[in-house]
Amino acid sequence: MENKKQFETEAIRTQIERTTFLEHSSPMYLTSSFVFEDAEDMRASFAEEKDRNVYSRYSNPNSSEFIEKVCKMEDAEDGFAFASGMAAVFSTFAALLESGDHIVSAKSIFGSTHSLFTQFFPKWNIETSYFDINDLQSVESLITPKTKIIYAESPTNPGVDVLDMEVLGNIAKKHKVLLVIDNCFATPYLQQPIKFGADLVIHSGTKLMDGQGRVLAGITVGNSELIDRIYRFSRITGPALSPFNAWVLSKSLETLGVRVDRHCENAMKLATFLENHEKVRWVKYPFLKSHPNHEIAKKQMTAGGCVVAFEINGGLEAGRKFFDSIKLLSLSANLGDSRSIVTHPASTTHSKLSKQDREAVGITDGMVRVSVGLEHIDDIVDDINQALS
Ligand SMILES: *Cc1c(COP(=O)(O)O)cnc(C)c1O
């Protein structure tokens, strides 16, 4: 077996086979289907006696390269790539669950995932119970004989709370249920959930993996038998990633390490600045000592990620003024972009929740979420400082 190389090296050197042109960088395979040598080749390929590309809904060289890279990064056996992060979330659950099954999920999860659990799964008789991420003791009491999956994100969106994945991993093992982690906020560069007991890891490739706000993508990696079931479901239902987006993403992953290093350095500087600002009530960033789960963050992650949350003194009104005064940073819903982005979760992504439900997941009216980008940190700090004053 080949020696496993360091993260950055695998990110750059994992590459599909060269063509006869001996290109240096991987080409884009914009083809919906692949041809057969003869009748026997065609028969054997369809019978899956051969491991080869047949149709890009099933597999494509660019997707395969992207999947292989992420598998190496997450130390996973296998994976499948999707058109978006939500396609990955939906297809993973849909492939593995039956009518009557039960999910135990963290309360603070991505908004669309929450809507999937509350608005759509109940019509297929799949129910979800929720736990508070600061009370992992309660998880066991929610597990029933119908429970198949424990689901969580860490750090969470938008509250940047951190939960102890090892504790969840042990509970999952003890009760023989699967642990599925959405690792989008940390990326495999900062944290690998499989080490802590996750069976499957999901990413929205749209965020830090692309890192430049260009393409939508998703991926699920982990145990190969589970991935095979997800693959069987997905090759029929058609949520596959486009080869173009796969090519963009595989290129992006070559620079994931250096980009995420700078995101984290900038975010830490901004968080430290905000912690000492008189107009700011509180700041949350996993690598600040004041973060309630700082010790767990240090155990699981090598740095704090790109998202900083803080609350402006003065609630909703002060919040609105702050957003109207921002000049350089973008008001946008994305995160993990080279451009810094500020959002107001209470009036945008989480506006459909009641104030009480928002506060239960740590979203106060004056809370601002910053996705710290790659501009010079002095300019990021200056813009936020002038908007605060
Ligand atoms: C954005 C996001 C998703 C969904 O990804 P899309 O690519 O937008 O479909 C899922 N989970 C988390 C944590 C996210 O931030």
Side-chain angles (χ1 to χ4, degrees):
M1 250 207 21
E2 236 183 296
N3 269 354
K4 193 170 160 23
K5 303 200 176 50
Q6 299 295 324
F7 187 96
E8 294 80 352
T9 314
E10 297 286 16
I12 291 167
R13 290 291 173 177
T14 302
Q15 193 165 347
I16 37 170
E17 237 173 275
R18 293 207 162 98
T19 71
T20 50
F21 291 116
L22 298 180
E23 66 282 346
H24 191 191
S25 167
S26 295
M28 219 187 268
Y29 289 92
L30 296 185
T31 179
S32 43
S33 65
F34 300 83
V35 294
F36 306 101
E37 304 280 349
D38 51 33
E40 171 50 24
D41 183 31
M42 186 155 67
R43 185 207 60 79
S45 301
F46 269 86
E48 294 184 62
E49 289 163 18
K50 287 184 172 181
D51 183 21
R52 51 107 78 209
N53 295 302
V54 171
Y55 192 57
S56 288
R57 169 150 42 83
Y58 312 164
S59 70
N60 172 282
N62 293 122
S63 296
S64 299
E65 183 180 289
F66 171 59
I67 293 166
E68 194 185 335
K69 264 188 203 184
V70 178
C71 284
K72 284 183 176 168
M73 291 174 165
E74 290 284 9
D75 213 356
E77 293 170 3
D78 203 356
F80 191 81
F82 298 90
S84 70
M86 282 317 299
V89 172
F90 173 71
S91 305
T92 299
F93 281 99
L96 301 177
L97 296 182
E98 311 284 334
S99 171
D101 284 348
H102 177 242
I103 302 164
V104 172
S105 170
K107 224 179 260 170
S108 32
I109 49 170
F110 185 67
S112 297
T113 307
H114 188 264
S115 301
L116 181 65
F117 291 171
T118 52
Q119 293 171 27
F120 295 97
F121 280 172
K123 71 177 186 176
W124 295 304
N125 195 23
I126 294 167
E127 298 295 336
T128 308
S129 305
Y130 300 93
F131 61 90
D132 187 319
I133 63 151
N134 291 310
D135 180 19
L136 296 187
Q137 303 309 324
S138 69
V139 174
E140 281 193 88
S141 66
L142 298 173
I143 294 176
T144 75
K146 300 278 190 191
T147 307
K148 292 284 160 63
I149 290 175
I150 300 176
Y151 186 77
E153 301 169 7
S154 183
T156 61
N157 180 21
V160 279
D161 288 306
V162 171
L163 61 80
D164 196 326
M165 289 187 284
E166 199 176 356
V167 171
L168 282 187
N170 289 336
I171 295 172
K173 215 164 282 146
K174 180 174 160 196
H175 292 271
K176 297 194 168 54
V177 300
L178 301 175
L179 176 62
V180 180
I181 297 284
D182 180 334
N183 196 28
C184 166
F185 263 51
T187 82
Y189 182 65
L190 300 179
Q191 150 182 303
Q192 290 118 11
I194 290 173
K195 275 193 198 148
F196 301 103
D199 299 283
L200 292 169
V201 177
I202 297 179
H203 283 280
S204 165
T206 316
K207 313 296 168 55
L208 284 160
M209 279 192 175
D210 173 40
Q212 288 143 89
R214 301 166 297 184
V215 299
L216 289 170
I219 187 164
T220 302
V221 300
N223 171 286
S224 57
E225 280 165 41
L226 298 172
I227 294 294
D228 190 58
R229 287 166 65 190
I230 295 166
Y231 165 72
R232 306 260 142 229
F233 176 82
S234 303
R235 70 177 249 160
I236 300 301
T237 53
L241 179 63
S242 88
F244 180 91
N245 287 0
W247 181 88
V248 170
L249 274 159
S250 187
K251 281 277 146 210
S252 295
L253 288 181
E254 293 190 17
T255 57
L256 183 71
V258 285
R259 286 187 288 105
V260 171
D261 275 342
R262 182 63 68 84
H263 277 288
C264 294
E265 187 187 321
N266 281 355
M268 187 68 191
K269 284 183 182 159
L270 176 68
T272 308
F273 167 79
L274 289 170
E275 210 168 31
N276 299 311
H277 200 290
E278 55 174 20
K279 297 253 169 81
V280 172
R281 181 171 298 163
W282 53 257
V283 185
K284 243 159 113 194
Y285 184 66
F287 267 48
L288 281 183
K289 281 209 181 68
S290 58
H291 190 285
N293 303 115
H294 179 59
E295 289 306 318
I296 302 168
K298 277 204 315 202
K299 178 180 92 171
Q300 293 178 168
M301 306 170 75
T302 50
C306 71
V307 177
V308 177
F310 68 97
E311 172 157 306
I312 303 177
N313 284 330
L316 210 52
E317 202 38 51
R320 191 160 298 148
K321 261 208 191 120
F322 170 80
F323 285 99
D324 285 341
S325 311
I326 282 287
K327 291 189 182 122
L328 177 73
L329 274 49
S330 314
L331 309 186
S332 174
N334 198 17
L335 66 95
D337 194 309
S338 52
R339 295 166 179 78
S340 295
I341 293 167
V342 285
T343 45
H344 184 221
S347 73
T348 58
T349 49
H350 291 72
S351 61
K352 289 199 184 73
L353 299 185
S354 70
K355 189 176 157 103
Q356 198 184 357
D357 284 350
R358 279 201 298 271
E359 285 179 356
V361 291
I363 302 168
T364 52
D365 280 347
M367 174 180 167
V368 178
R369 186 192 79 184
V370 190
S371 168
V372 185
L374 303 179
E375 302 95 339
H376 195 285
I377 184 60
D378 292 351
D379 293 322
I380 298 171
V381 166
D382 280 353
D383 194 35
I384 289 184
N385 191 34
Q386 66 80 23
L388 281 171
S389 352

